[in-house]
Amino acid sequence: GQQLNQSPQSMFIQEGEDVSMNCTSSSIFNTWLWYKQDPGEGPVLLIALYKAGELTSNGRLTAQFGITRKDSFLNISASIPSDVGIYFCAGDTSGTYKYIFGTGTRLKVLA
Amino acid sequence: DAGVTQSPTHLIKTRGQQVTLRCSPKSGHDTVSWYQQALGQGPQFIFQYYEEEERQRGNFPDRFSGHQFPNYSSELNVNALLLGDSALYLCASSLEVAVVFGPGTRLTVL
């Protein structure tokens, strides 16, 4: 099935460092969502983006809807051990909540 | 608010069998979608129900079918199970744009 390109695939960082990840597509999206998934759990919504250029924060997390509408970025500032998990982007092209997911970025934080 | 709930949590079936998974959406949500997540992959859209009708469908065979009830809860049925159907099945509900996921049902096909 179709999936969005997400990078990096995985990353190890030191506690306190900032993290950046992105998601790209060849298609234009109307909505971008960012989720975090812990092992054995369902994805938990972190941030929702609704229009091109939008920059939205949720605590230490900041996400942006790319101007071209074909990409999105997620930044985590001052990472902590509980940030460990898999981060997924998801995009909707039709406005009907049929989301295409990225391949995931696996984050590991070293204390 | 209980959020999205799914049952059962885990399920083991053998090839050729049939399975039914259940989902109760978040209170106030009227749209239910089902996703399949294979190990190490992102979720893949199966189909979506709104007003008891299948509104959209992903690239999944007819062995995958569903239903939505008047109280917005939903079932996912898979017939003639294959080994490749082993995955985490996620139910998601929505009222507006953002979609909320349940914890999933882990299906193992032996």
Side-chain angles (χ1 to χ4, degrees), chain B residues 10-70:
Chain B
H10 296 87
L11 202 53
I12 299 175
K13 292 285 188 179
T14 57
R15 281 177 295 176
Q17 285 189 311
Q18 178 264 342
V19 68
T20 298
L21 311 180
R22 295 176 177 82
C23 170
S24 291
K26 181 179 172 67
S27 178
H29 285 189
D30 58 4
T31 301
V32 173
S33 302
W34 287 91
Y35 288 78
Q36 180 196 65
Q37 187 177 23
L39 200 61
Q41 306 277 328
Q44 296 281 331
F45 179 84
I46 301 176
F47 44 53
Q48 181 184 90
Y49 278 84
Y50 174 72
E51 292 188 343
E52 303 179 52
E53 297 285 333
E54 183 181 294
R55 183 164 68 174
Q56 296 191 86
R57 190 177 183 91
N59 188 26
F60 280 80
D62 292 344
R63 298 187 298 108
F64 291 76
S65 63
H67 189 78
Q68 185 180 34
F69 300 94

CSV table of all heavy atoms in Angstrom, one decimal, chain B residues 10-70:
chain,number,residue,atom,x,y,z
B,10,HIS,N,-6.2,-9.4,22.0
B,10,HIS,CA,-5.4,-10.4,21.2
B,10,HIS,C,-6.3,-11.5,20.7
B,10,HIS,O,-7.3,-11.9,21.3
B,10,HIS,CB,-4.3,-11.0,22.1
B,10,HIS,CG,-3.3,-10.0,22.6
B,10,HIS,ND1,-3.4,-9.3,23.7
B,10,HIS,CD2,-2.1,-9.6,22.0
B,10,HIS,CE1,-2.4,-8.5,23.9
B,10,HIS,NE2,-1.5,-8.7,22.9
B,11,LEU,N,-5.9,-12.1,19.6
B,11,LEU,CA,-6.6,-13.2,19.0
B,11,LEU,C,-5.7,-14.1,18.2
B,11,LEU,O,-4.8,-13.5,17.4
B,11,LEU,CB,-7.7,-12.6,18.1
B,11,LEU,CG,-8.9,-13.3,17.7
B,11,LEU,CD1,-9.7,-13.8,18.9
B,11,LEU,CD2,-9.8,-12.4,16.9
B,12,ILE,N,-5.9,-15.4,18.3
B,12,ILE,CA,-5.1,-16.3,17.5
B,12,ILE,C,-6.1,-17.2,16.7
B,12,ILE,O,-7.0,-17.8,17.3
B,12,ILE,CB,-4.2,-17.2,18.4
B,12,ILE,CG1,-3.2,-16.3,19.2
B,12,ILE,CG2,-3.5,-18.2,17.6
B,12,ILE,CD1,-2.4,-17.1,20.2
B,13,LYS,N,-5.8,-17.2,15.4
B,13,LYS,CA,-6.7,-18.0,14.5
B,13,LYS,C,-5.8,-18.9,13.6
B,13,LYS,O,-4.6,-18.6,13.5
B,13,LYS,CB,-7.6,-17.1,13.7
B,13,LYS,CG,-8.6,-16.3,14.4
B,13,LYS,CD,-9.8,-17.2,14.8
B,13,LYS,CE,-10.9,-16.4,15.4
B,13,LYS,NZ,-12.1,-17.3,15.7
B,14,THR,N,-6.4,-19.8,12.9
B,14,THR,CA,-5.7,-20.6,12.0
B,14,THR,C,-6.1,-20.2,10.5
B,14,THR,O,-7.2,-19.7,10.3
B,14,THR,CB,-5.9,-22.1,12.2
B,14,THR,OG1,-7.2,-22.4,12.1
B,14,THR,CG2,-5.3,-22.5,13.5
B,15,ARG,N,-5.3,-20.5,9.6
B,15,ARG,CA,-5.6,-20.2,8.2
B,15,ARG,C,-6.9,-20.8,7.8
B,15,ARG,O,-7.3,-21.9,8.1
B,15,ARG,CB,-4.5,-20.8,7.3
B,15,ARG,CG,-3.2,-20.0,7.2
B,15,ARG,CD,-2.2,-20.7,6.3
B,15,ARG,NE,-1.8,-22.0,6.9
B,15,ARG,CZ,-0.9,-22.8,6.3
B,15,ARG,NH1,-0.5,-22.5,5.1
B,15,ARG,NH2,-0.6,-24.0,6.9
B,16,GLY,N,-7.7,-20.0,7.0
B,16,GLY,CA,-9.0,-20.4,6.5
B,16,GLY,C,-10.1,-20.0,7.5
B,16,GLY,O,-11.3,-20.0,7.0
B,17,GLN,N,-9.8,-19.7,8.7
B,17,GLN,CA,-10.9,-19.3,9.6
B,17,GLN,C,-11.4,-17.9,9.3
B,17,GLN,O,-10.8,-17.2,8.5
B,17,GLN,CB,-10.4,-19.4,11.1
B,17,GLN,CG,-10.3,-20.9,11.6
B,17,GLN,CD,-10.0,-20.9,13.1
B,17,GLN,OE1,-9.1,-20.2,13.6
B,17,GLN,NE2,-10.8,-21.7,13.8
B,18,GLN,N,-12.4,-17.5,10.0
B,18,GLN,CA,-13.0,-16.2,9.9
B,18,GLN,C,-12.9,-15.5,11.3
B,18,GLN,O,-12.8,-16.2,12.3
B,18,GLN,CB,-14.5,-16.3,9.5
B,18,GLN,CG,-15.2,-15.0,9.4
B,18,GLN,CD,-16.0,-14.7,10.7
B,18,GLN,OE1,-16.2,-15.5,11.5
B,18,GLN,NE2,-16.3,-13.4,10.9
B,19,VAL,N,-12.8,-14.2,11.3
B,19,VAL,CA,-12.6,-13.4,12.5
B,19,VAL,C,-13.5,-12.2,12.5
B,19,VAL,O,-13.7,-11.6,11.4
B,19,VAL,CB,-11.1,-13.1,12.8
B,19,VAL,CG1,-10.6,-12.1,11.8
B,19,VAL,CG2,-10.9,-12.6,14.2
B,20,THR,N,-14.0,-11.8,13.7
B,20,THR,CA,-14.7,-10.5,13.8
B,20,THR,C,-14.1,-9.7,14.9
B,20,THR,O,-13.9,-10.2,16.0
B,20,THR,CB,-16.2,-10.8,14.2
B,20,THR,OG1,-16.8,-11.5,13.1
B,20,THR,CG2,-16.9,-9.5,14.4
B,21,LEU,N,-13.7,-8.5,14.6
B,21,LEU,CA,-13.2,-7.5,15.6
B,21,LEU,C,-14.2,-6.4,15.8
B,21,LEU,O,-14.9,-6.0,14.9
B,21,LEU,CB,-11.8,-7.0,15.0
B,21,LEU,CG,-10.8,-8.0,14.5
B,21,LEU,CD1,-9.6,-7.2,14.0
B,21,LEU,CD2,-10.5,-9.0,15.5
B,22,ARG,N,-14.2,-5.9,17.0
B,22,ARG,CA,-15.2,-4.9,17.4
B,22,ARG,C,-14.6,-3.6,17.9
B,22,ARG,O,-13.5,-3.6,18.4
B,22,ARG,CB,-16.1,-5.5,18.5
B,22,ARG,CG,-16.9,-6.7,18.0
B,22,ARG,CD,-17.7,-7.3,19.0
B,22,ARG,NE,-18.6,-8.4,18.4
B,22,ARG,CZ,-18.1,-9.6,18.2
B,22,ARG,NH1,-16.9,-10.0,18.5
B,22,ARG,NH2,-18.9,-10.5,17.6
B,23,CYS,N,-15.3,-2.5,17.6
B,23,CYS,CA,-14.8,-1.2,18.0
B,23,CYS,C,-16.0,-0.3,18.5
B,23,CYS,O,-17.0,-0.3,17.8
B,23,CYS,CB,-14.2,-0.6,16.7
B,23,CYS,SG,-13.8,1.2,16.9
B,24,SER,N,-15.7,0.4,19.5
B,24,SER,CA,-16.6,1.5,20.0
B,24,SER,C,-15.9,2.8,19.8
B,24,SER,O,-14.9,3.0,20.4
B,24,SER,CB,-17.1,1.2,21.4
B,24,SER,OG,-17.9,0.1,21.5
B,25,PRO,N,-16.5,3.7,19.1
B,25,PRO,CA,-15.8,5.0,18.9
B,25,PRO,C,-15.8,5.9,20.1
B,25,PRO,O,-16.6,5.7,21.0
B,25,PRO,CB,-16.6,5.6,17.7
B,25,PRO,CG,-18.0,5.1,17.9
B,25,PRO,CD,-17.8,3.7,18.4
B,26,LYS,N,-15.0,6.9,20.0
B,26,LYS,CA,-15.0,7.9,21.1
B,26,LYS,C,-16.4,8.6,21.1
B,26,LYS,O,-17.0,8.8,20.0
B,26,LYS,CB,-13.9,9.0,20.7
B,26,LYS,CG,-13.8,10.1,21.7
B,26,LYS,CD,-12.7,11.0,21.3
B,26,LYS,CE,-12.6,12.3,22.1
B,26,LYS,NZ,-12.2,12.0,23.5
B,27,SER,N,-16.8,9.0,22.3
B,27,SER,CA,-18.2,9.6,22.4
B,27,SER,C,-18.3,10.8,21.5
B,27,SER,O,-17.4,11.7,21.5
B,27,SER,CB,-18.4,10.0,23.9
B,27,SER,OG,-19.6,10.6,24.1
B,28,GLY,N,-19.4,10.8,20.8
B,28,GLY,CA,-19.6,12.0,19.9
B,28,GLY,C,-19.1,11.8,18.5
B,28,GLY,O,-19.4,12.6,17.6
B,29,HIS,N,-18.3,10.8,18.3
B,29,HIS,CA,-17.7,10.6,16.9
B,29,HIS,C,-18.6,9.7,16.1
B,29,HIS,O,-19.1,8.7,16.6
B,29,HIS,CB,-16.3,9.9,17.0
B,29,HIS,CG,-15.2,10.8,17.5
B,29,HIS,ND1,-13.9,10.5,17.4
B,29,HIS,CD2,-15.3,12.1,18.0
B,29,HIS,CE1,-13.2,11.5,17.9
B,29,HIS,NE2,-14.0,12.5,18.2
B,30,ASP,N,-18.8,10.1,14.8
B,30,ASP,CA,-19.8,9.3,14.0
B,30,ASP,C,-19.1,8.6,12.9
B,30,ASP,O,-19.8,7.8,12.1
B,30,ASP,CB,-20.8,10.3,13.4
B,30,ASP,CG,-20.2,11.4,12.6
B,30,ASP,OD1,-19.0,11.4,12.4
B,30,ASP,OD2,-21.0,12.3,12.2
B,31,THR,N,-17.8,8.8,12.7
B,31,THR,CA,-17.1,8.1,11.6
B,31,THR,C,-16.1,7.1,12.1
B,31,THR,O,-15.3,7.5,13.0
B,31,THR,CB,-16.4,9.2,10.7
B,31,THR,OG1,-17.4,10.1,10.2
B,31,THR,CG2,-15.7,8.5,9.5
B,32,VAL,N,-16.1,5.9,11.6
B,32,VAL,CA,-15.2,4.9,12.1
B,32,VAL,C,-14.4,4.4,10.9
B,32,VAL,O,-14.9,4.1,9.8
B,32,VAL,CB,-15.9,3.7,12.7
B,32,VAL,CG1,-15.0,2.6,13.1
B,32,VAL,CG2,-16.6,4.2,14.0
B,33,SER,N,-13.1,4.3,11.1
B,33,SER,CA,-12.2,3.8,10.1
B,33,SER,C,-11.4,2.6,10.7
B,33,SER,O,-11.1,2.6,11.9
B,33,SER,CB,-11.2,4.8,9.6
B,33,SER,OG,-11.9,6.0,9.0
B,34,TRP,N,-11.0,1.7,9.8
B,34,TRP,CA,-10.2,0.6,10.2
B,34,TRP,C,-8.9,0.6,9.5
B,34,TRP,O,-8.9,0.9,8.2
B,34,TRP,CB,-10.9,-0.8,9.9
B,34,TRP,CG,-12.1,-1.0,10.8
B,34,TRP,CD1,-13.4,-0.7,10.7
B,34,TRP,CD2,-12.0,-1.7,12.1
B,34,TRP,NE1,-14.1,-1.2,11.7
B,34,TRP,CE2,-13.3,-1.8,12.6
B,34,TRP,CE3,-11.0,-2.4,12.8
B,34,TRP,CZ2,-13.6,-2.4,13.8
B,34,TRP,CZ3,-11.3,-3.0,14.0
B,34,TRP,CH2,-12.6,-3.0,14.5
B,35,TYR,N,-7.8,0.3,10.2
B,35,TYR,CA,-6.5,0.3,9.6
B,35,TYR,C,-5.8,-1.1,10.0
B,35,TYR,O,-6.1,-1.6,11.1
B,35,TYR,CB,-5.6,1.4,10.1
B,35,TYR,CG,-6.0,2.8,9.6
B,35,TYR,CD1,-7.1,3.5,10.1
B,35,TYR,CD2,-5.2,3.4,8.6
B,35,TYR,CE1,-7.4,4.7,9.7
B,35,TYR,CE2,-5.5,4.7,8.2
B,35,TYR,CZ,-6.6,5.3,8.7
B,35,TYR,OH,-6.9,6.6,8.2
B,36,GLN,N,-5.0,-1.5,9.1
B,36,GLN,CA,-4.1,-2.7,9.4
B,36,GLN,C,-2.7,-2.3,9.5
B,36,GLN,O,-2.2,-1.5,8.6
B,36,GLN,CB,-4.2,-3.7,8.2
B,36,GLN,CG,-3.4,-5.0,8.4
B,36,GLN,CD,-3.2,-5.8,7.1
B,36,GLN,OE1,-2.6,-5.3,6.2
B,36,GLN,NE2,-3.8,-7.0,7.1
B,37,GLN,N,-2.0,-2.7,10.6
B,37,GLN,CA,-0.6,-2.3,10.8
B,37,GLN,C,0.2,-3.6,10.9
B,37,GLN,O,0.2,-4.2,11.9
B,37,GLN,CB,-0.4,-1.4,12.0
B,37,GLN,CG,1.0,-0.9,12.1
B,37,GLN,CD,1.1,0.1,13.3
B,37,GLN,OE1,0.4,0.1,14.2
B,37,GLN,NE2,2.2,1.0,13.2
B,38,ALA,N,1.0,-3.9,9.9
B,38,ALA,CA,1.9,-5.0,9.9
B,38,ALA,C,3.1,-4.6,10.7
B,38,ALA,O,3.4,-3.4,10.9
B,38,ALA,CB,2.3,-5.4,8.5
B,39,LEU,N,3.8,-5.6,11.2
B,39,LEU,CA,5.0,-5.3,12.1
B,39,LEU,C,6.0,-4.4,11.4
B,39,LEU,O,6.4,-4.7,10.2
B,39,LEU,CB,5.6,-6.7,12.5
B,39,LEU,CG,6.5,-6.6,13.7
B,39,LEU,CD1,5.7,-6.2,15.0
B,39,LEU,CD2,7.1,-8.0,14.0
B,40,GLY,N,6.4,-3.4,12.0
B,40,GLY,CA,7.4,-2.5,11.4
B,40,GLY,C,6.9,-1.5,10.4
B,40,GLY,O,7.7,-0.9,9.7
B,41,GLN,N,5.6,-1.5,10.1
B,41,GLN,CA,5.1,-0.6,9.1
B,41,GLN,C,4.1,0.4,9.7
B,41,GLN,O,3.7,0.3,10.9
B,41,GLN,CB,4.3,-1.5,8.1
B,41,GLN,CG,5.0,-2.7,7.5
B,41,GLN,CD,5.8,-2.3,6.3
B,41,GLN,OE1,5.5,-1.3,5.6
B,41,GLN,NE2,6.9,-2.9,6.2
B,42,GLY,N,3.8,1.4,8.9
B,42,GLY,CA,2.7,2.3,9.3
B,42,GLY,C,1.4,1.7,9.0
B,42,GLY,O,1.2,0.8,8.3
B,43,PRO,N,0.3,2.2,9.7
B,43,PRO,CA,-1.0,1.7,9.4
B,43,PRO,C,-1.5,1.9,8.0
B,43,PRO,O,-1.1,2.9,7.3
B,43,PRO,CB,-1.9,2.6,10.4
B,43,PRO,CG,-0.9,3.1,11.4
B,43,PRO,CD,0.4,3.3,10.7
B,44,GLN,N,-2.2,0.9,7.5
B,44,GLN,CA,-2.8,1.0,6.1
B,44,GLN,C,-4.3,1.0,6.2
B,44,GLN,O,-4.9,0.2,6.9
B,44,GLN,CB,-2.4,-0.3,5.3
B,44,GLN,CG,-0.9,-0.4,5.1
B,44,GLN,CD,-0.4,0.5,4.0
B,44,GLN,OE1,-1.1,0.8,3.0
B,44,GLN,NE2,0.9,0.9,4.0
B,45,PHE,N,-4.9,2.0,5.5
B,45,PHE,CA,-6.3,2.2,5.5
B,45,PHE,C,-7.1,1.0,4.9
B,45,PHE,O,-6.8,0.6,3.7
B,45,PHE,CB,-6.6,3.5,4.8
B,45,PHE,CG,-8.1,3.8,4.7
B,45,PHE,CD1,-8.7,4.5,5.7
B,45,PHE,CD2,-8.8,3.5,3.6
B,45,PHE,CE1,-10.1,4.8,5.6
B,45,PHE,CE2,-10.2,3.8,3.5
B,45,PHE,CZ,-10.8,4.5,4.5
B,46,ILE,N,-8.0,0.5,5.6
B,46,ILE,CA,-8.9,-0.7,5.1
B,46,ILE,C,-10.2,-0.1,4.5
B,46,ILE,O,-10.5,-0.3,3.3
B,46,ILE,CB,-9.2,-1.7,6.2
B,46,ILE,CG1,-7.8,-2.3,6.8
B,46,ILE,CG2,-10.0,-2.8,5.6
B,46,ILE,CD1,-8.1,-3.2,7.9
B,47,PHE,N,-11.0,0.5,5.4
B,47,PHE,CA,-12.2,1.1,5.0
B,47,PHE,C,-12.7,2.0,6.1
B,47,PHE,O,-12.2,2.1,7.2
B,47,PHE,CB,-13.3,0.1,4.5
B,47,PHE,CG,-13.5,-1.1,5.4
B,47,PHE,CD1,-13.7,-1.0,6.8
B,47,PHE,CD2,-13.5,-2.3,4.8
B,47,PHE,CE1,-13.9,-2.1,7.5
B,47,PHE,CE2,-13.7,-3.5,5.6
B,47,PHE,CZ,-13.9,-3.3,6.9
B,48,GLN,N,-13.8,2.8,5.7
B,48,GLN,CA,-14.4,3.8,6.6
B,48,GLN,C,-15.9,3.7,6.5
B,48,GLN,O,-16.5,3.5,5.5
B,48,GLN,CB,-13.9,5.2,6.1
B,48,GLN,CG,-14.4,6.3,7.0
B,48,GLN,CD,-14.0,7.6,6.4
B,48,GLN,OE1,-14.7,8.2,5.6
B,48,GLN,NE2,-12.8,8.1,6.8
B,49,TYR,N,-16.5,3.8,7.7
B,49,TYR,CA,-18.0,3.8,7.8
B,49,TYR,C,-18.5,5.1,8.3
B,49,TYR,O,-18.0,5.7,9.3
B,49,TYR,CB,-18.4,2.6,8.7
B,49,TYR,CG,-18.4,1.3,7.9
B,49,TYR,CD1,-17.2,0.6,7.8
B,49,TYR,CD2,-19.6,0.9,7.3
B,49,TYR,CE1,-17.2,-0.6,7.1
B,49,TYR,CE2,-19.6,-0.3,6.6
B,49,TYR,CZ,-18.4,-1.0,6.5
B,49,TYR,OH,-18.4,-2.2,5.7
B,50,TYR,N,-19.6,5.5,7.7
B,50,TYR,CA,-20.3,6.7,8.1
B,50,TYR,C,-21.8,6.5,7.9
B,50,TYR,O,-22.2,6.1,6.8
B,50,TYR,CB,-19.8,7.9,7.4
B,50,TYR,CG,-20.5,9.2,7.6
B,50,TYR,CD1,-20.4,9.9,8.8
B,50,TYR,CD2,-21.4,9.8,6.6
B,50,TYR,CE1,-21.1,11.1,9.1
B,50,TYR,CE2,-22.1,10.9,6.9
B,50,TYR,CZ,-21.9,11.6,8.1
B,50,TYR,OH,-22.6,12.7,8.4
B,51,GLU,N,-22.6,6.8,8.8
B,51,GLU,CA,-24.1,6.6,8.7
B,51,GLU,C,-24.4,5.2,8.3
B,51,GLU,O,-25.2,5.0,7.4
B,51,GLU,CB,-24.7,7.7,7.8
B,51,GLU,CG,-24.6,9.1,8.4
B,51,GLU,CD,-25.4,10.1,7.6
B,51,GLU,OE1,-25.7,9.8,6.4
B,51,GLU,OE2,-25.6,11.2,8.1
B,52,GLU,N,-23.6,4.2,8.8
B,52,GLU,CA,-23.9,2.8,8.6
B,52,GLU,C,-23.6,2.3,7.2
B,52,GLU,O,-23.9,1.2,6.8
B,52,GLU,CB,-25.3,2.4,9.0
B,52,GLU,CG,-25.7,2.8,10.4
B,52,GLU,CD,-27.1,2.4,10.8
B,52,GLU,OE1,-27.5,1.2,10.5
B,52,GLU,OE2,-27.8,3.3,11.3
B,53,GLU,N,-22.9,3.2,6.4
B,53,GLU,CA,-22.5,2.8,5.1
B,53,GLU,C,-21.0,2.8,4.9
B,53,GLU,O,-20.3,3.7,5.5
B,53,GLU,CB,-23.1,3.8,4.1
B,53,GLU,CG,-24.7,3.8,4.0
B,53,GLU,CD,-25.2,2.5,3.3
B,53,GLU,OE1,-24.5,2.0,2.5
B,53,GLU,OE2,-26.3,2.1,3.7
B,54,GLU,N,-20.5,2.0,4.1
B,54,GLU,CA,-19.0,2.0,3.8
B,54,GLU,C,-18.8,3.2,2.8
B,54,GLU,O,-19.3,3.2,1.7
B,54,GLU,CB,-18.6,0.7,3.1
B,54,GLU,CG,-17.1,0.7,2.8
B,54,GLU,CD,-16.6,-0.6,2.1
B,54,GLU,OE1,-16.7,-1.7,2.7
B,54,GLU,OE2,-16.2,-0.5,0.9
B,55,ARG,N,-18.1,4.2,3.3
B,55,ARG,CA,-17.9,5.4,2.5
B,55,ARG,C,-16.7,5.4,1.6
B,55,ARG,O,-16.7,5.9,0.5
B,55,ARG,CB,-17.9,6.6,3.4
B,55,ARG,CG,-17.8,7.9,2.7
B,55,ARG,CD,-18.1,9.1,3.6
B,55,ARG,NE,-17.2,9.3,4.6
B,55,ARG,CZ,-17.2,10.4,5.5
B,55,ARG,NH1,-18.2,11.3,5.4
B,55,ARG,NH2,-16.3,10.5,6.4
B,56,GLN,N,-15.6,4.7,2.1
B,56,GLN,CA,-14.4,4.7,1.4
B,56,GLN,C,-13.7,3.3,1.6
B,56,GLN,O,-13.9,2.7,2.7
B,56,GLN,CB,-13.4,5.8,1.8
B,56,GLN,CG,-13.8,7.2,1.6
B,56,GLN,CD,-12.6,8.1,1.8
B,56,GLN,OE1,-11.8,8.3,0.9
B,56,GLN,NE2,-12.5,8.6,3.0
B,57,ARG,N,-12.9,2.9,0.7
B,57,ARG,CA,-12.2,1.6,0.9
B,57,ARG,C,-10.8,1.7,0.4
B,57,ARG,O,-10.6,2.4,-0.7
B,57,ARG,CB,-13.0,0.5,0.1
B,57,ARG,CG,-12.5,-0.9,0.4
B,57,ARG,CD,-13.3,-1.9,-0.3
B,57,ARG,NE,-12.8,-3.3,0.1
B,57,ARG,CZ,-13.3,-4.0,1.1
B,57,ARG,NH1,-14.4,-3.5,1.8
B,57,ARG,NH2,-12.9,-5.2,1.4
B,58,GLY,N,-9.9,1.1,1.1
B,58,GLY,CA,-8.5,1.0,0.6
B,58,GLY,C,-8.3,-0.2,-0.2
B,58,GLY,O,-9.2,-0.8,-0.7
B,59,ASN,N,-7.0,-0.5,-0.5
B,59,ASN,CA,-6.7,-1.5,-1.4
B,59,ASN,C,-6.7,-2.9,-0.7
B,59,ASN,O,-5.6,-3.5,-0.5
B,59,ASN,CB,-5.4,-1.3,-2.1
B,59,ASN,CG,-5.0,-2.2,-3.2
B,59,ASN,OD1,-5.9,-2.8,-3.8
B,59,ASN,ND2,-3.7,-2.4,-3.4
B,60,PHE,N,-7.8,-3.3,-0.2
B,60,PHE,CA,-7.9,-4.6,0.5
B,60,PHE,C,-9.0,-5.5,-0.2
B,60,PHE,O,-10.0,-5.0,-0.7
B,60,PHE,CB,-8.3,-4.4,1.9
B,60,PHE,CG,-7.2,-4.0,2.8
B,60,PHE,CD1,-6.7,-2.7,2.8
B,60,PHE,CD2,-6.5,-5.0,3.6
B,60,PHE,CE1,-5.6,-2.4,3.6
B,60,PHE,CE2,-5.5,-4.6,4.4
B,60,PHE,CZ,-5.0,-3.3,4.4
B,61,PRO,N,-8.7,-6.8,-0.2
B,61,PRO,CA,-9.7,-7.7,-0.9
B,61,PRO,C,-11.0,-7.8,-0.2
B,61,PRO,O,-11.2,-7.4,0.9
B,61,PRO,CB,-9.0,-9.1,-0.9
B,61,PRO,CG,-8.1,-9.0,0.3
B,61,PRO,CD,-7.6,-7.5,0.4
B,62,ASP,N,-12.0,-8.4,-1.0
B,62,ASP,CA,-13.4,-8.5,-0.4
B,62,ASP,C,-13.5,-9.4,0.8
B,62,ASP,O,-14.5,-9.4,1.4
B,62,ASP,CB,-14.3,-9.0,-1.5
B,62,ASP,CG,-14.5,-8.0,-2.7
B,62,ASP,OD1,-14.1,-6.9,-2.4
B,62,ASP,OD2,-14.9,-8.4,-3.8
B,63,ARG,N,-12.4,-10.1,1.1
B,63,ARG,CA,-12.4,-10.9,2.3
B,63,ARG,C,-12.6,-10.0,3.6
B,63,ARG,O,-13.0,-10.5,4.6
B,63,ARG,CB,-11.1,-11.7,2.5
B,63,ARG,CG,-10.8,-12.7,1.4
B,63,ARG,CD,-9.6,-13.6,1.7
B,63,ARG,NE,-8.4,-12.8,1.8
B,63,ARG,CZ,-7.7,-12.5,2.9
B,63,ARG,NH1,-8.2,-13.0,4.1
B,63,ARG,NH2,-6.6,-11.8,2.9
B,64,PHE,N,-12.2,-8.8,3.4
B,64,PHE,CA,-12.3,-7.8,4.5
B,64,PHE,C,-13.7,-7.1,4.3
B,64,PHE,O,-13.9,-6.5,3.3
B,64,PHE,CB,-11.2,-6.8,4.4
B,64,PHE,CG,-9.9,-7.4,4.8
B,64,PHE,CD1,-9.1,-8.1,3.9
B,64,PHE,CD2,-9.3,-7.1,6.1
B,64,PHE,CE1,-7.9,-8.7,4.3
B,64,PHE,CE2,-8.1,-7.6,6.4
B,64,PHE,CZ,-7.4,-8.4,5.5
B,65,SER,N,-14.5,-7.2,5.3
B,65,SER,CA,-15.8,-6.5,5.3
B,65,SER,C,-16.1,-5.9,6.6
B,65,SER,O,-15.4,-6.3,7.6
B,65,SER,CB,-16.9,-7.5,4.8
B,65,SER,OG,-17.1,-8.5,5.8
B,66,GLY,N,-17.1,-5.1,6.6
B,66,GLY,CA,-17.4,-4.4,7.9
B,66,GLY,C,-18.8,-4.0,8.1
B,66,GLY,O,-19.7,-4.3,7.2
B,67,HIS,N,-19.1,-3.4,9.2
B,67,HIS,CA,-20.4,-3.0,9.5
B,67,HIS,C,-20.4,-1.9,10.5
B,67,HIS,O,-19.5,-1.9,11.4
B,67,HIS,CB,-21.2,-4.2,10.0
B,67,HIS,CG,-22.7,-3.9,10.2
B,67,HIS,ND1,-23.6,-3.9,9.1
B,67,HIS,CD2,-23.4,-3.6,11.3
B,67,HIS,CE1,-24.8,-3.7,9.5
B,67,HIS,NE2,-24.7,-3.4,10.8
B,68,GLN,N,-21.3,-1.0,10.4
B,68,GLN,CA,-21.5,0.1,11.4
B,68,GLN,C,-22.9,0.0,11.9
B,68,GLN,O,-23.8,-0.1,11.2
B,68,GLN,CB,-21.1,1.5,10.9
B,68,GLN,CG,-21.2,2.5,12.0
B,68,GLN,CD,-20.8,3.9,11.6
B,68,GLN,OE1,-21.2,4.3,10.5
B,68,GLN,NE2,-20.2,4.7,12.4
B,69,PHE,N,-23.1,0.1,13.2
B,69,PHE,CA,-24.4,0.0,13.9
B,69,PHE,C,-24.9,1.4,14.2
B,69,PHE,O,-24.2,2.4,14.1
B,69,PHE,CB,-24.2,-0.8,15.2
B,69,PHE,CG,-23.8,-2.2,14.9
B,69,PHE,CD1,-22.4,-2.5,15.0
B,69,PHE,CD2,-24.7,-3.2,14.6
B,69,PHE,CE1,-22.0,-3.8,14.7
B,69,PHE,CE2,-24.2,-4.5,14.3
B,69,PHE,CZ,-22.9,-4.8,14.4
B,70,PRO,N,-26.2,1.5,14.5
B,70,PRO,CA,-26.8,2.8,14.7
B,70,PRO,C,-26.1,3.6,15.8
B,70,PRO,O,-26.2,4.8,15.9
B,70,PRO,CB,-28.3,2.5,15.1
B,70,PRO,CG,-28.5,1.2,14.3
B,70,PRO,CD,-27.2,0.4,14.4
